[in-house]
Amino acid sequence: MWKNSSLRCLLALAILCLSSLMYSQEIGSLGDPQNLKCVTHNLHKMLCTWDVSSEGKHGQTDFCYTTNDLTPQVCFKTKERRVEIPIPESSITVIIKSSGTASATKEFVVHQKDISFIPITPHILSLIPDFPNSALNLKWSDNGSVFPYGLDALWQIQILRKEAMEVVTQVTYYSKLTHEDVILSWNWRSDMPLECTSHYVKIRCYINATQFVGPKDWSDWSPAEVIPGKDTEPGGSGVFPLDPVVAVGSDLTFCCVHEEDQRITNMTYGSKSYTMMQLSSRSHAIRVLNANVSNSSGTNVVCRLENGLEGSVVFVGYAPDSPQNLSCETSNFLIIKCTWKPGRPSGLYGKRRTKYSLFERTSGKNVSCEVNEVNKDHVCDFPVLPDQKNYDFILGVSNPIGQAKSSLLVDITQRVHPKTPEKLTVTGNNSTSIQLRWFINGSFAEIRLLCQIEISSSHSERKLHNVSMPGRKSSTYTAQLNELHPDTKYQLRVRCSAADHFWRWSDWSRGVEQTTSEAPPARGPDIWRERSPSGESLIVFWKPLSLSESNGKIVSHEVSCYLLNTLLEHKVVSEPSNSTEIKLGKSDCVINVVARNHAGSSPPSRITSVELPSDNVTTDQAVAMGNGINISWDSYPNMTCGYIVKWCHSSGSEPCSVDWQKFPSNTTNVVIKSALFKPGVRYNFSLYGCKSMGYQLLKNITGYMKELPPKTAPNFIVEETSSDSILVKWEDIPVEECRGFLKGYLLSFAKGEKDALKPRLSNSGNPELKINNITDLTKKSMKILDLQGKTSYQLELQAYTAGGLSPPNSLYVVTKEDSVGLIIAILIPVAVVVLLGVLASIFCYRKREWIKETFYPEIPNPENSKALQFQRNICEGNKTLKTLEMNPCTPNSVEVVETQSTAPKIEDTEMMSPAAETTVPEDGSESEMENHVVVSYCPPIIEEEISNPPMDEPGGSSQVVYIDIQSMYQPQIKPEEEPEIDLVTTAGYKPQMQLSISPLKIEGHSPVEEELDKTAGYRPQANTNAWNMGTPDSPGSVGSNNENASFGSPCSINSRQFLLPSKDDEDSPKPINTGWSFTHFFQNKPND
């Protein structure tokens, strides 16, 4: 059941739908405004547009809008379908009434979120090409005055190229709107010269107004600005860029523009040809990657055409380095000189070279610097400004590729480097002082100068004398030098610097020389005296004074002899003598020696001629130090005025040159040095002690400055030889050839033959080398023992000192022959042979039975004989030999025929086949088989082809008839005839295996036959007399084809030689031997 409220709601809804349908029909009628769109370009006003039907396009339109209910409605008429109205804060109501043939009115509500924000299209103010640098400069206005302050603006700049306007790059440029119209600028460098083809530029804007809630979008692209290429100009041609300067490692593009009717053949960079890219019908380009530094004249780029060529030169170098070690100083307070190191060369020269400028920021003064690129250090001068001490310099460096700079702040009073002093002269001179004068160009009134004078001479070390003085303006300076040596030539020069703030010394001035005047010698000469060998005179020696002591040239020496203040003798000795002789006889005196030069005389030197007696004067050895001789002695307390060491050469053709040195009384060890000392020369020293009344000889000393190896080895001979020893004797080495104190001898010996090419024995490496070290210098001989007789020995003798070994002296000696050893050498082998013979005889005698049984048996046994075993082994091991080879086969029946010969007793096992065993009765009863025995037998394999075999014989077997063995060794006789028994001829070999014989026939043997059996010896296994020549298989049968046919026991079935033929058969035909057997050795053995 429906309620009243529900019915009312349904009714109201139906009425509303009906009215909406009627209203939509009215609005959608012809001529109604529609598609109202509003866009703002400046966030202050918006531009609204709408569409009307064709009937409403002509005529005016009433446009009314209101922002809210409180503000009055604003209406106006317009003939266009666009109006500009303010942007509402939230929404705006618009009523558009069109007039014309079809009048219609429509109301729109526009919200702020429905308003689009699209900035106005930017306008390019200028596009300026920079053809040398292939760059473009773009300028435009941001129209910031129409926007609120602080909005972010994004500008998209698009670069296009060629007539097809291919996009090369697109970049985004950021800016900030400042509520003012600002001209923005942007530079772009092209990788292709602008002359090669046309370049286009377009720009659009996007403003990020975060407070605006409506949709935001980019502005439209501005109209394209074009920079036309040379390929669009009539008559434009050439290679571009023209003579560019680029950095090393750059990627370069070169193009060739030509006329329309020309064709390019190729383009080269340097000596290399590159693949061309076509830019247009009149322009082609090449691409060069990572360009290397060019030479001073550049690298050529050539474009070859059909009827000519075009070209350009490219200069590839480096941007300048920052100046290094920039330093500024003044030499005269008029000019400031700045120096620096340029760093890496740029590789650019001429008008493209690196340029320098010096700018002082305090004064604002700028100076252009002219430098020489060849010099490592570059220099630039800047004038000193009045009343300015501090200078703030900036050194700028630039070339076409880049620029750099370096700065320096300097106080000029602390960077003083004076010029070289000039006009150095000497104005005053005496024996110990000199006055110098010199001139320095410059104004140094504001500082003090420090000048340094170098003083040097030939006999003294270099000295530096510093002088401080106030500076003056272009003035002369003087200095006094004192404490100089008389009669000395000095070399003098001077240099100067600032005294308070030292920076650098000036260069040294030109040197001058000056010699001081003479003065009297500073002291008397060092003197010594010696008595002559006769003792009648006294020789006085003195040493020349040094240059620093003589104070001038010594012209003479005055020698005086006083005895108790009485002058006994006075002599004047001119130079260069350094000794004189005074006749004293046996008396003594005090000697005075004075040196004299042109300025005066020296103080006198005194010495007494008294020499005190000495007892037990010994001679010691000094120690060589390499640069001197070390001498030591015991202390002598009574020597009050010191010690004197005197020496001279130990030998030589010239007279002994005396030298000496004096030492205080507390000295006991000294090293004597002298320029006259030579290595390897012996010097003799004498040590004197000084007392108040005279001098006393204390000891003698010999020594070397440096010991050397002896010059020669001792001469030695062989005094005596024997079979086991050699006696060697040698001589002393002269002192001059020792060159050191002799320490001993080395005597080396070893076996060796005389050979000039052999090395020294000490260097031969002979393991038998023996060395004897002889340290007893008094020993002059040595006996070498334990040698071998009749053997050559090499001997070497060397002497040695602390300096080393002398060269060796060599001898070759052969020892005498040892007769006892020879006899022993003969007797020992003979005794050994005899002993071996005796031992062999004893062994053979004791083992005679074994030897006989083994090597010489009476009856050869194939099982025991080694010789036969040897042949058996050969037969068994050689598969090609058929003798005794046991091949598997089917046993054949062998029939043995009994004869009337005496048969020995059968001792061995009977050889019977299984078939034979079945035919013999077990009880041994007589039957037909008593005289016939069938044994198993494997016939030898005969490879010869048998012609015409009997047709009635079976193919798989054969039978051989063996007769009794004895029947082969005796003739066939009739039963009724009585045989003549010859015990010798009938004796023979008894077979090892006997066949079964009828007992009846054995019992019927005669006594003679029994005696024959007893005396029977070795018998051959076959008797040639018993051969039946008529048998086809017999060896002598004519019709026989069997080469291997033979008779005998089964053990020698293939034998071709009878072991022992009978003596009766010597004249019978002998079988033919077709082989050799080891058993031949035993065939002719006598029967013992």
Side-chain angles (χ1 to χ4, degrees):
M1 188 173 180
W2 293 95
K3 295 182 179 180
N4 295 332
S5 58
S6 299
L7 292 174
R8 286 195 296 268
C9 289
L10 291 174
L11 182 60
L13 182 60
I15 294 172
L16 181 60
C17 290
L18 182 60
S19 60
S20 297
L21 180 61
M22 295 174 62
Y23 181 75
S24 62
Q25 290 179 355
E26 181 183 355
I27 296 300
S29 61
L30 294 175
D32 292 346
Q34 53 187 345
N35 297 332
L36 178 65
K37 295 179 181 180
C38 295
V39 177
T40 180
H41 297 297
N42 53 17
L43 300 179
H44 296 290
K45 292 185 178 182
M46 62 181 181
L47 181 65
C48 295
T49 60
W50 61 92
D51 296 332
V52 295
S53 61
S54 58
E55 289 81 358
K57 289 182 179 180
H58 304 286
Q60 290 185 349
T61 301
D62 294 332
F63 187 91
C64 299
Y65 68 91
T66 179
T67 56
N68 51 49
D69 296 337
L70 301 178
T71 58
Q73 188 180 38
V74 178
C75 295
F76 53 86
K77 293 181 181 293
T78 177
K79 293 183 178 181
E80 299 179 356
R81 294 183 303 276
R82 51 185 299 170
V83 296
E84 189 177 39
I85 59 177
I87 296 177
E89 293 181 358
S90 60
S91 63
I92 189 173
T93 302
V94 176
I95 300 174
I96 302 175
K97 181 180 180 181
S98 61
S99 60
T101 57
S103 177
T105 301
K106 189 172 182 181
E107 180 179 331
F108 299 92
V109 177
V110 179
H111 298 278
Q112 192 180 38
K113 62 182 181 63
D114 299 328
I115 303 172
S116 298
F117 176 38
I118 300 176
I120 193 171
T121 301
H123 175 65
I124 296 177
L125 300 178
S126 64
L127 180 63
I128 302 173
D130 182 4
F131 289 103
N133 295 318
S134 299
L136 293 175
N137 178 257
L138 175 66
K139 292 183 178 180
W140 72 96
S141 175
D142 65 354
N143 296 321
S145 60
V146 301
F147 296 103
Y149 180 82
L151 295 181
D152 294 327
L154 284 74
W155 310 86
Q156 268 191 357
I157 305 170
Q158 197 174 70
I159 309 296
L160 304 98
R161 184 181 290 163
K162 301 181 184 179
E163 295 177 356
M165 298 186 69
E166 298 176 358
V167 177
V168 178
T169 184
Q170 180 172 297
V171 297
T172 301
Y173 182 87
Y174 299 90
S175 68
K176 198 86 168 178
L177 301 181
T178 60
H179 202 58
E180 293 181 356
D181 291 338
V182 177
I183 304 300
L184 301 179
S185 178
W186 176 75
N187 293 314
W188 176 73
R189 191 181 183 92
S190 175
D191 61 347
M192 180 180 293
L194 301 179
E195 298 92 341
C196 295
T197 187
S198 299
H199 288 73
Y200 304 86
V201 179
K202 297 191 298 183
I203 188 171
R204 65 177 180 174
C205 177
Y206 178 88
I207 298 177
N208 187 17
T210 58
Q211 302 298 328
F212 187 75
V213 298
K216 297 178 285 290
D217 201 357
W218 287 93
S219 69
D220 295 335
W221 287 103
S222 67
E225 292 288 331
V226 61
I227 301 297
K230 293 292 183 180
D231 57 345
T232 62
E233 298 178 2
S237 63
V239 174
F240 303 99
L242 185 62
D243 301 339
V245 180
V246 297
V248 173
S250 299
D251 296 337
L252 307 177
T253 301
F254 298 93
C255 68
C256 179
V257 180
H258 53 87
E259 296 295 339
E260 196 71 45
D261 56 348
Q262 290 182 332
R263 190 176 68 87
I264 298 177
T265 58
N266 71 326
M267 291 183 68
T268 59
Y269 175 82
S271 59
K272 184 178 180 181
S273 180
Y274 285 80
T275 303
M276 293 184 295
M277 304 175 293
Q278 184 172 0
L279 303 179
S280 67
S281 60
R282 292 180 54 196
S283 179
H284 291 75
I286 61 173
R287 184 76 169 166
V288 178
L289 303 178
N290 194 19
N292 294 323
V293 63
S294 61
N295 53 32
S296 58
S297 60
T299 302
N300 294 326
V301 181
V302 179
C303 173
R304 289 178 174 83
L305 305 172
E306 287 183 340
N307 56 353
L309 57 85
E310 300 285 347
S312 177
V313 181
V314 60
F315 299 89
V316 185
Y318 295 97
D321 277 351
S322 296
Q324 303 170 10
N325 302 331
L326 176 62
S327 176
C328 296
E329 63 186 18
T330 182
S331 60
N332 52 14
F333 281 93
L334 300 175
I335 296 296
I336 300 174
K337 183 175 70 174
C338 294
T339 60
W340 66 92
K341 293 184 181 299
R344 179 182 59 189
S346 64
L348 302 176
Y349 305 94
K351 64 181 182 180
R352 302 167 190 84
R353 69 182 185 279
T354 302
K355 297 179 181 180
Y356 300 88
S357 62
L358 191 61
F359 174 71
E360 203 284 310
R361 286 191 285 193
T362 304
S363 62
K365 187 174 180 62
N366 189 29
V367 175
S368 178
C369 304
E370 294 294 332
V371 299
N372 188 354
E373 292 287 345
V374 178
N375 295 336
K376 292 183 178 179
D377 290 337
H378 292 179
V379 181
C380 186
D381 292 337
F382 190 89
V384 174
L385 302 177
D387 302 328
Q388 184 173 341
K389 296 195 306 180
N390 295 322
Y391 292 82
D392 189 1
F393 290 114
I394 296 178
L395 178 63
V397 190
S398 64
N399 66 13
I401 299 177
Q403 56 186 5
K405 65 180 180 179
S406 182
S407 60
L408 176 67
L409 179 63
V410 61
D411 183 355
I412 200 62
T413 61
Q414 299 179 8
R415 295 291 186 270
V416 179
H417 184 196
K419 289 187 176 181
T420 304
E422 302 173 353
K423 303 176 183 179
L424 181 63
T425 57
V426 178
T427 58
N429 180 20
N430 57 35
S431 62
T432 58
S433 64
I434 291 175
Q435 188 177 29
L436 286 178
R437 183 188 298 267
W438 65 89
F439 174 80
I440 300 177
N441 184 17
S443 179
F444 301 99
E446 297 181 2
I447 64 171
R448 288 182 62 83
L449 290 178
L450 174 65
C451 293
Q452 191 174 72
I453 303 171
E454 182 187 67
I455 307 169
S456 60
S457 62
S458 59
H459 64 275
S460 63
E461 296 181 354
R462 184 176 68 97
K463 296 181 180 179
L464 297 175
H465 180 68
N466 294 332
V467 179
S468 179
M469 59 192 71
R472 294 187 294 269
K473 183 177 181 180
S474 300
S475 177
T476 300
Y477 302 89
T478 60
Q480 184 76 23
L481 301 179
N482 299 317
E483 299 180 358
L484 303 179
H485 292 290
D487 192 39
T488 302
K489 180 185 285 186
Y490 289 97
Q491 292 82 32
L492 307 170
R493 59 180 184 171
V494 64
R495 63 181 180 178
C496 296
S497 178
D500 298 330
H501 301 283
F502 177 80
W503 171 242
R504 288 178 182 171
W505 287 109
S506 69
D507 293 336
W508 286 105
S509 67
R510 178 184 57 85
V512 296
E513 292 184 351
Q514 182 65 34
T515 303
T516 56
S517 57
E518 292 187 2
R523 68 173 184 86
D526 187 8
I527 60 175
W528 181 247
R529 86 290 175 279
E530 279 191 353
R531 284 278 182 179
S532 64
S534 63
E536 297 295 328
S537 61
L538 187 70
I539 302 175
V540 181
F541 302 93
W542 60 86
K543 293 181 179 180
L545 295 173
S546 64
L547 293 177
S548 60
E549 297 170 340
S550 63
N551 293 338
K553 183 179 181 181
I554 302 298
V555 295
S556 64
H557 289 83
E558 296 180 1
V559 181
S560 303
C561 183
Y562 291 91
L563 179 61
L564 301 176
N565 296 326
T566 301
L567 180 62
L568 299 181
E569 188 171 353
H570 177 77
K571 281 187 174 183
V572 177
V573 182
S574 301
E575 283 292 298
S577 297
N578 63 346
S579 65
T580 187
E581 187 175 0
I582 299 176
K583 302 293 184 179
L584 289 179
K586 299 296 183 181
S587 60
D588 291 310
C589 67
V590 177
I591 301 166
N592 290 348
V593 179
V594 174
R596 180 180 294 276
N597 62 12
H598 295 289
S601 299
S602 69
S605 297
R606 292 183 176 88
I607 191 171
T608 181
S609 64
V610 177
E611 187 165 341
L612 302 176
S614 303
D615 296 331
N616 299 324
V617 178
T618 60
T619 301
D620 296 341
Q621 290 184 357
V623 179
M625 302 298 293
N627 58 348
I629 301 173
N630 189 346
I631 298 176
S632 61
W633 60 87
D634 297 332
S635 178
Y636 296 89
N638 55 350
M639 301 301 165
T640 58
C641 53
Y643 300 94
I644 296 92
V645 178
K646 185 211 72 172
W647 70 89
C648 67
H649 293 283
S650 62
S651 62
S653 59
E654 298 181 357
C656 179
S657 177
V658 178
D659 201 355
W660 67 94
Q661 284 189 20
K662 296 179 179 180
F663 302 98
S665 57
N666 60 351
T667 305
T668 58
N669 187 288
V670 295
V671 176
I672 305 298
K673 296 181 180 181
S674 173
L676 300 177
F677 286 163
K678 297 179 180 179
V681 178
R682 179 178 292 186
Y683 296 95
N684 297 325
F685 298 88
S686 297
L687 177 65
Y688 290 89
C690 177
K691 296 182 180 179
S692 59
M693 69 286 296
Y695 294 91
Q696 182 180 11
L697 178 62
L698 302 178
K699 64 190 307 187
N700 292 321
I701 305 167
T702 60
Y704 295 85
M705 182 189 76
K706 182 180 180 181
E707 294 191 51
L708 299 177
K711 191 174 183 180
T712 60
N715 295 323
F716 73 110
I717 60 173
V718 176
E719 185 75 13
E720 180 183 339
T721 61
S722 66
S723 61
D724 62 348
S725 65
I726 299 173
L727 178 62
V728 179
K729 290 187 177 180
W730 60 88
E731 301 174 353
D732 287 332
I733 302 176
V735 175
E736 294 81 3
E737 296 182 355
C738 284
R739 304 199 298 180
F741 295 114
L742 202 62
K743 300 295 183 183
Y745 304 94
L746 292 181
L747 180 59
S748 307
F749 65 93
K751 294 180 182 179
E753 299 292 337
K754 188 173 183 180
D755 189 353
L757 300 178
K758 280 188 175 181
R760 292 180 178 178
L761 191 58
S762 57
N763 300 330
S764 63
N766 192 337
E768 298 181 358
L769 175 65
K770 296 182 179 179
I771 301 175
N772 293 325
N773 186 9
I774 305 166
T775 57
D776 185 3
L777 299 180
T778 61
K779 189 175 181 180
K780 303 300 178 185
S781 65
M782 183 177 181
K783 193 169 187 179
I784 305 173
L785 302 175
D786 299 328
L787 304 180
Q788 296 180 6
K790 203 175 182 179
T791 304
S792 177
Y793 285 91
Q794 180 183 358
L795 309 180
E796 280 188 0
L797 182 63
Q798 293 176 281
Y800 64 91
T801 64
L805 286 168
S806 70
N809 267 351
S810 298
L811 283 178
Y812 289 88
V813 182
V814 180
T815 57
K816 294 182 178 180
E817 186 175 0
D818 189 0
S819 58
V820 176
L822 179 62
I823 294 173
I824 294 175
I826 295 173
L827 291 180
I828 289 176
V830 173
V832 171
V833 172
V834 171
L835 180 61
L836 292 176
V838 171
L839 293 176
S841 300
I842 294 173
F843 176 80
C844 293
Y845 178 77
R846 297 187 65 179
K847 299 292 184 179
R848 61 185 183 280
E849 295 297 333
W850 175 80
I851 294 174
K852 181 179 180 182
E853 182 68 22
T854 303
F855 299 102
Y856 202 76
E858 293 182 358
I859 299 174
N861 188 351
E863 298 295 332
N864 298 329
S865 176
K866 302 297 182 181
L868 296 180
Q869 285 182 4
F870 174 75
Q871 180 161 351
R872 183 185 64 184
N873 294 338
I874 293 178
C875 297
E876 290 177 356
N878 192 349
K879 299 302 182 179
T880 62
L881 296 177
K882 302 301 181 179
T883 303
L884 301 182
E885 180 178 353
M886 302 298 294
N887 293 322
C889 63
T890 302
N892 294 323
S893 296
V894 178
E895 181 179 2
V896 178
V897 179
E898 184 71 26
T899 62
Q900 291 184 359
S901 63
T902 61
K905 185 179 179 180
I906 298 175
E907 297 178 356
D908 295 329
T909 306
E910 294 179 0
M911 297 173 57
M912 299 183 66
S913 64
E917 292 178 0
T918 58
T919 60
V920 178
E922 294 181 356
D923 56 359
S925 61
E926 296 179 1
S927 64
E928 295 178 356
M929 299 300 295
E930 289 179 350
N931 295 331
H932 296 78
V933 180
V934 179
V935 298
S936 298
Y937 158 69
C938 292
I941 299 174
I942 301 173
E943 297 179 357
E944 288 88 314
E945 212 177 276
I946 300 175
S947 61
N948 300 325
M951 299 301 294
D952 55 348
E953 283 187 13
S957 63
S958 64
Q959 288 188 348
V960 177
V961 178
Y962 273 21
I963 64 174
D964 186 71
I965 295 175
Q966 289 186 358
S967 64
M968 301 178 65
Y969 293 91
Q970 52 190 341
Q972 299 291 332
I973 59 173
K974 297 180 180 180
E976 65 271 7
E977 294 180 354
E978 292 290 335
E980 295 180 3
I981 302 172
D982 190 347
L983 296 178
V984 176
T985 58
T986 59
Y989 171 76
K990 295 178 181 181
Q992 299 177 10
M993 182 179 69
Q994 295 287 346
L995 302 177
S996 300
I997 303 174
S998 175
L1000 296 177
K1001 293 195 175 192
I1002 294 176
E1003 292 176 358
H1005 285 179
S1006 65
V1008 179
E1009 293 176 349
E1010 294 179 356
E1011 186 66 21
L1012 181 62
D1013 293 339
K1014 296 180 181 179
T1015 59
Y1018 176 81
R1019 296 179 183 181
Q1021 298 179 17
N1023 191 350
T1024 56
N1025 295 329
W1027 286 353
N1028 186 1
M1029 296 300 178
T1031 306
D1033 293 331
S1034 65
S1037 175
V1038 178
S1040 175
N1041 292 325
N1042 190 358
E1043 293 180 359
N1044 296 327
S1046 62
F1047 289 94
S1049 67
C1051 295
S1052 56
I1053 198 167
N1054 253 359
S1055 176
R1056 297 189 181 192
Q1057 175 64 43
F1058 297 105
L1059 296 179
L1060 271 179
S1062 176
K1063 290 182 179 180
D1064 297 336
D1065 302 334
E1066 291 179 357
D1067 298 332
S1068 62
K1070 304 296 182 180
I1072 299 173
N1073 292 332
T1074 60
W1076 181 88
S1077 174
F1078 185 72
T1079 57
H1080 291 178
F1081 288 114
F1082 304 96
Q1083 289 177 0
N1084 297 324
K1085 281 178 54 179
N1087 190 4
D1088 295 329

